[in-house]
Amino acid sequence: MSDVIAIGPFLFRTNWLVWLLSGISGYVFMHFLLTERKEYRDKIEALLSNALLYYLAIWKISPALFDPSLFLNNPLSILYLPSGNKGVLLGIVVASISVFIGAYRAKIPIYVLTNSLIAFYVMAGFVYYLFQRQYGAPILQGSWHVGLTHHPIHLYKLLLFFLFIVWVLLRKKPINFPGHTYFFLILFSIGQLLITFFAGQHSYFLGLSKLQVWNISMLMFGVVGKVLLWKKERN
């Protein structure tokens, strides 16, 4: 896929268009599922819209935040300097905090919010990997390969997201189910963890990659959360 698409006299980066299409797809899927909780739908969608604005603002000014000297020497640099990974991470943190604070103030049950975000995420992730290409470790000679030399990580993730879309649709009232979030964290973390073994990533901690450490953490969080919810329901 080309890095840039020309539409008339305008040039657009393809990764921006993919992110935009993914976000729209996730929003439509979430909107569809939230029909069972219409009293919260408009509030959640407003929270996410505001969070997007916060993210874009932080992402854009992050070069000045992390290197104020650049901004002081040339204030207009904020208009064209690209944001790095730190800016992306800071934007996500600020946007996430704004969503959960807003949900608390609007008295939206946390499970309704998180289940809505799961619906958004699985559809957005599926559409994203329709257009992305990501390859991992070399495929061993003599094993199945269908002409491939490296594991097609994007296809593995595409299948994983597709299965979770089906899983969400088959569940009865997925937005209303308090334990849905913990089930998702457990199953999705296991799926992601299996894929990482074919990704060929570098060791980060005890022989595990950063993504493996993250997925194991989410798996443990999901298990602990599910156990605590189960005990609460029994009492």
Side-chain angles (χ1 to χ4, degrees):
M1 181 183 295
S2 175
D3 292 335
V4 178
I5 294 178
I7 302 179
F10 302 102
L11 297 177
F12 298 92
R13 295 187 61 176
T14 53
N15 60 333
W16 292 357
L17 296 177
V18 170
W19 278 110
L20 178 61
L21 181 60
S22 302
I24 293 174
S25 302
Y27 170 83
V28 171
F29 189 59
M30 181 189 69
H31 182 87
F32 166 73
L33 291 180
L34 273 171
T35 52
E36 64 190 57
R37 298 304 298 264
K38 292 182 179 180
E39 70 273 24
Y40 297 124
R41 184 172 62 187
D42 292 341
K43 295 179 181 180
I44 291 176
E45 291 174 353
L47 288 176
L48 294 181
S49 298
N50 291 336
L52 177 61
L53 295 178
Y54 289 138
Y55 169 80
L56 292 175
I58 296 297
W59 173 79
K60 190 59 182 175
I61 67 173
S62 61
L65 296 176
F66 292 110
D67 194 352
S69 61
L70 288 176
F71 177 71
L72 294 176
N73 295 330
N74 184 10
L76 293 179
S77 64
I78 195 174
L79 298 176
Y80 57 82
L81 281 178
S83 177
N85 292 333
K86 291 182 180 179
V88 172
L89 181 59
L90 181 61
I92 292 175
V93 170
V94 172
S96 300
I97 292 174
S98 72
V99 167
F100 284 96
I101 291 178
Y104 175 78
R105 291 176 175 174
K107 297 181 179 180
I108 300 174
I110 189 65
Y111 68 87
V112 173
L113 175 63
T114 54
N115 290 344
S116 301
L117 294 176
I118 288 171
F120 176 93
Y121 178 67
V122 295
M123 180 57 73
F126 176 77
V127 174
Y128 177 80
Y129 282 105
L130 280 174
F131 298 96
Q132 294 299 312
R133 298 294 179 267
Q134 180 184 353
Y135 294 94
I139 297 177
L140 298 176
Q141 294 183 356
S143 61
W144 72 272
H145 54 82
V146 196
L148 297 173
T149 59
H150 291 73
H151 285 279
I153 301 301
H154 59 285
L155 294 182
Y156 300 161
K157 291 190 175 183
L158 189 66
L159 175 61
L160 180 65
F161 279 107
F162 173 76
L163 292 176
F164 273 96
I165 290 173
V166 175
W167 178 70
V168 169
L169 290 175
L170 291 179
R171 295 188 69 85
K172 294 182 179 179
K173 298 182 178 181
I175 300 297
N176 289 336
F177 184 50
H180 181 76
T181 299
Y182 299 123
F183 270 131
F184 172 79
L185 288 176
I186 294 170
L187 298 177
F188 188 78
S189 297
I190 292 174
Q192 285 277 63
L193 191 60
L194 292 175
I195 292 175
T196 60
F197 288 107
F198 303 102
Q201 298 183 12
H202 298 293
S203 175
Y204 170 71
F205 179 72
L206 296 178
L208 301 173
S209 67
K210 288 184 179 181
L211 191 55
Q212 288 172 334
V213 172
W214 170 257
N215 284 315
I216 291 174
S217 300
M218 290 298 98
L219 174 60
M220 294 174 62
F221 181 82
V223 171
V224 171
K226 183 58 183 174
V227 170
L228 293 177
L229 180 62
W230 176 72
K231 289 184 176 180
K232 181 179 179 180
E233 291 175 343
R234 287 194 62 184
N235 296 332

